[in-house]
Amino acid sequence: EAQVTQNPRYLITVTGKKLTVTCSQNMNHEYMSWYRQDPGLGLRQIYYSMNVEVTDKGDVPEGYKVSRKEKRNFPLILESPSPNQTSLYFCASGRGSNQPQHFGDGTRLSIL
Amino acid sequence: GQNIDQPTEMTATEGAIVQINCTYQTSGFNGLFWYQQHAGEAPTFLSYNVLDGLEEKGRFSSFLSRSKGYSYLLLKELQMKDSASYLCAVSDGATGGSYIPTFGRGTSLIVHP
């Protein structure tokens, strides 16, 4: 089954404790991206990747890092999480940046 | 950069027709997407328009006018399960040649009996 898998689905943690949200897709898609979704603000792009080893900042990259060492994986790293990063995060992939995106089920992060 | 505008909330009656509008300003338009997102779930792709005109897919249709920076999503024969948020996303080719989609804030549609 074609899918985008994110882990964990839920996480409550504390300020400053490094965390990684994993994202994996099995569709051989070149394009992958991370979004955060906050009430009243909609989906905002954090980082995106056009292909392996090619990543770029989206609209809200501060406080986040990503890597794309393999085509299927695109982890999101919060080196020193802060409460303002409490949000619902979605990973997505597509055949290209201008193609329909397939979204993971989301990760709800709470930073205390 | 882009400016994407869509109504925050709409209500409609089961069985009726509803039109959700999306207006945008962009410097290098290269396509417009509509996604559906049920509460607590991931967005799912509904439609894509890159040329002017109407694209029909069953009960859902999407229209685009590039000269007016305007699109709408038309939902016919509304069902209770159509209650969801509808996201308009515009692909902008101005970002260094890469076409990166930007999402509007979404329109929450409530269908009542």
Side-chain angles (χ1 to χ4, degrees):
Chain A
E1 182 192 346
Q3 58 188 5
V4 178
T5 304
Q6 297 178 224
N7 279 297
R9 293 290 315 282
Y10 305 92
L11 179 64
I12 301 173
T13 187
V14 295
T15 299
K17 186 176 180 182
K18 180 180 177 179
L19 68 92
T20 299
V21 185
T22 62
C23 174
S24 181
Q25 51 94 3
N26 63 0
M27 294 166 278
N28 202 35
H29 285 165
E30 292 188 348
Y31 179 77
M32 296 186 75
S33 61
W34 275 103
Y35 298 88
R36 60 178 289 174
Q37 188 172 39
D38 302 289
L41 296 178
L43 276 171
R44 294 181 293 166
Q45 192 173 53
I46 303 170
Y47 269 93
Y48 64 93
S49 170
M50 302 295 281
N51 212 327
V52 176
E53 301 290 5
V54 181
T55 63
D56 212 341
K57 296 177 181 178
D59 297 320
V60 288
E62 293 77 21
Y64 304 95
K65 283 174 55 176
V66 292
S67 69
R68 189 89 181 275
K69 294 179 182 158
E70 308 157 290
K71 201 169 191 179
R72 64 182 293 126
N73 296 324
F74 190 45
L76 179 70
I77 303 153
L78 284 72
E79 293 270 5
S80 184
S82 61
N84 64 10
Q85 293 177 298
T86 292
S87 187
L88 177 59
Y89 292 84
F90 286 103
C91 179
S93 73
R95 285 188 287 125
S97 62
N98 202 37
Q99 298 291 324
Q101 295 187 67
H102 298 253
F103 285 80
D105 287 335
T107 296
R108 191 166 289 282
L109 281 184
S110 292
I111 316 292
L112 305 177
Chain B
Q2 303 180 37
N3 222 354
I4 301 171
D5 205 23
Q6 38 179 145
T8 303
E9 188 174 290
M10 299 181 71
T11 59
T13 305
E14 194 175 13
I17 299 172
V18 71
Q19 178 175 310
I20 302 174
N21 296 327
C22 172
T23 58
Y24 63 88
Q25 294 171 315
T26 182
S27 45
F29 177 84
N30 199 57
L32 186 144
F33 301 85
W34 284 97
Y35 289 82
Q36 180 190 59
Q37 185 179 23
H38 284 102
E41 298 182 10
T44 54
F45 169 73
L46 285 178
S47 69
Y48 173 64
N49 295 70
V50 66
L51 299 176
D52 290 351
L54 189 68
E55 295 280 341
E56 297 187 75
K57 261 191 196 180
R59 293 189 300 114
F60 291 8
S61 304
S62 57
F63 171 83
L64 175 68
S65 168
R66 289 172 295 170
S67 61
K68 295 182 179 174
Y70 168 69
S71 173
Y72 67 72
L73 181 69
L74 193 72
L75 292 76
K76 302 175 192 171
E77 300 167 20
L78 279 174
Q79 302 175 9
M80 299 297 289
K81 67 178 182 180
D82 297 330
S83 292
S85 187
Y86 291 86
L87 313 178
C88 172
V90 177
S91 219
D92 185 344
T95 313
S98 301
Y99 299 105
I100 305 301
T102 299
F103 283 81
R105 296 186 180 190
T107 299
S108 178
L109 173 66
I110 300 166
V111 180
H112 55 83

